[in-house]
Amino acid sequence: MSIEPRHTHLNLGDHTLHVVETGDPHGRPYLFLHGWPQSWRAWKDVMLLAAPEARAVAVDLPGVGESTATADGGSKHLTAARIHALIQALGLTDVTLVGHDGGGMVAYAYLRRYPQIARVVIMNTVIPGVEPWSDVLRNPYIWHFGLHNVPGLPETLVRGRQAEYFDYFYDILSVDPSKIVPEARTAHAAAYRSDASLTAGFDLYRAFAQDARDNAASAAAGPVRTPLLYLRGQGEGGDIAAYAAGFREAGVENLTSAVIPGAGHFAPEEAPAEVWRLISDFAAS
C-alpha cells in the first residue's frame, strides 16, 4: 500500500485527465473533485488520512492543472460524463463521489445523470437552479459570480496575478487562513498559470445558467434515491437547513447533512481530519 500520491495521466479520447491516487488499490474507492480556485492538491491531506483503509483518487478538473482542456465550456453535465468515463476506465465500483465547491456542482450533475453511483458527498457549495440558488445570486457579497461570468475580462484582470487574486478568497473565506498552507497556494496558482487553464476555471462560472437549466430538467425527470451527504463549514455562513430543503425540493430523497466544525469554505484543507471522518462514516453507513 502506498501513502504517497501516485500520479498518472489517463487518456480518455479527446482529453487527458491528471489522476492522483493514494492508498490500497483494492480498498473502497473515493473519487475527489476540487473546486475553484484549487486543484487536486486541495484533497491531499484528506487522501493521506484515507490511505490506510481506502483507495483515494483525485483529479484536476478538465482544463485545470495537468488535465487537458476540453470544449465543454464549464458545463457540469458534460464534465460529469467525463468523470463517468474515468470511473469506468479505472474499473471503480462502490464509489463514493466527493465534490467540493465547483466539484460539488459536478458531483450533483453526476448524481442526476448517473444515479447508479453508490453515494455522493457535496461540500461547501450551492447548486445552480437548486435553492437557495436565487438567494445566493442576489447576495452582493458573492460579487465574483458576476465578474467571472463576463467573457474575457477576468482573464485580463487576473493573468499574472493568480496567486494574489486567489489568496484573497483563501483569506476571507477560511476560518484560519494559515490552514491553506503556502505549498498548497503555490500549487493551486500553478494549476491556473496558462491562459487555457485560467479560462477553464472561469468557465465553471460562465456555465451556471446552462447548469441551472440542466438541473431543472433533471429534477423534472423525477426523484433520485442515491444517498447524498451535504456538508458546510461552520464558519461559512448560510443556513444549512435551507440547502437541505432545496435538495429535497429538487427530488433528492435520501439526504444527510452536517456542519464541519472549525472550517469555513475550504474545509478539505482547513479541517481534513473531520472531513474524512464525516465522509468515511457516511460511506460505512
Side-chain angles (χ1 to χ4, degrees), residues 9-10 31 35 40 55 66 69 72 81 84 89 93 106 127 135 180 184 203 209 218 229-230 271-272 279 283 285:
H9 294 82
L10 188 62
L31 177 55
W40 81 268
R55 179 181 183 181
E66 296 180 36
D72 295 346
H84 186 62
T93 59
V106 175
I127 303 301
D135 291 337
I180 318 297
D203 278 349
S218 66
L229 172 64
Y230 180 71
I279 293 171
S285 66

Side-chain angles (χ1 to χ4, degrees), residues 35-49:
W36 185 93
Q38 298 181 292
S39 63
W40 81 268
R41 176 63 176 73
W43 291 107
K44 182 178 180 181
D45 291 341
V46 173
M47 294 172 71
L48 294 177
L49 291 166

Side-chain angles (χ1 to χ4, degrees), residues 10-33:
L10 188 62
N11 191 320
L12 294 171
D14 63 347
H15 68 293
T16 300
L17 287 182
H18 175 213
V19 181
V20 185
E21 295 193 49
T22 64
D24 183 355
H26 305 291
R28 169 176 278 166
Y30 295 80
L31 177 55
F32 297 99
L33 308 178

Side-chain angles (χ1 to χ4, degrees), residues 30-261:
Y30 295 80
L31 177 55
F32 297 99
L33 308 178
H34 67 84
W36 185 93
Q38 298 181 292
S39 63
W40 81 268
R41 176 63 176 73
W43 291 107
K44 182 178 180 181
D45 291 341
V46 173
M47 294 172 71
L48 294 177
L49 291 166
E53 60 186 85
R55 179 181 183 181
V57 183
V59 298
D60 283 333
L61 290 180
V64 175
E66 296 180 36
S67 291
T68 59
T70 69
D72 295 346
S75 164
K76 314 308 177 295
H77 184 76
L78 295 178
T79 302
R82 297 186 182 280
I83 297 303
H84 186 62
L86 171 67
I87 289 173
Q88 292 182 311
L90 294 178
L92 303 180
T93 59
D94 190 30
V95 181
T96 302
L97 178 64
V98 185
H100 174 264
D101 186 78
M105 297 178 184
V106 175
Y108 181 80
Y110 193 104
L111 168 73
R112 301 308 308 234
R113 188 167 183 176
Y114 307 102
Q116 66 270 27
I117 188 78
R119 63 198 69 82
V120 173
V121 181
I122 295 174
M123 298 178 55
N124 305 95
T125 196
V126 63
I127 303 301
V130 177
E131 297 299 351
W133 176 247
S134 56
D135 291 337
V136 170
L137 290 183
R138 287 192 294 266
N139 186 344
Y141 292 102
I142 314 298
W143 55 268
H144 61 288
F145 276 27
L147 173 61
H148 295 176
N149 187 58
V150 179
L153 180 60
E155 286 93 333
T156 299
L157 297 175
V158 175
R159 184 180 296 112
R161 303 177 180 87
Q162 284 90 326
E164 294 86 351
Y165 189 63
F166 296 172
D167 279 348
Y168 171 82
F169 293 94
Y170 303 143
D171 292 343
I172 68 164
L173 297 178
S174 302
V175 170
D176 180 358
S178 70
K179 296 294 181 65
I180 318 297
V181 298
E183 177 191 353
R185 293 177 185 235
T186 299
H188 297 328
Y192 298 85
R193 181 181 296 125
S194 73
D195 288 350
S197 59
L198 198 56
T199 293
F202 292 132
D203 278 349
L204 293 172
Y205 295 83
R206 293 171 183 141
F208 281 172
Q210 182 60 53
D211 295 335
R213 290 190 290 270
D214 290 339
N215 290 336
S218 66
V224 62
R225 297 174 176 82
T226 308
L228 171 63
L229 172 64
Y230 180 71
L231 301 174
R232 285 183 77 78
Q234 186 178 34
E236 186 167 25
D239 180 6
I240 195 169
Y243 288 82
F247 281 119
R248 293 192 175 98
E249 185 178 351
V252 177
E253 294 188 338
N254 191 352
L255 176 71
T256 305
S257 61
V259 171
I260 306 164

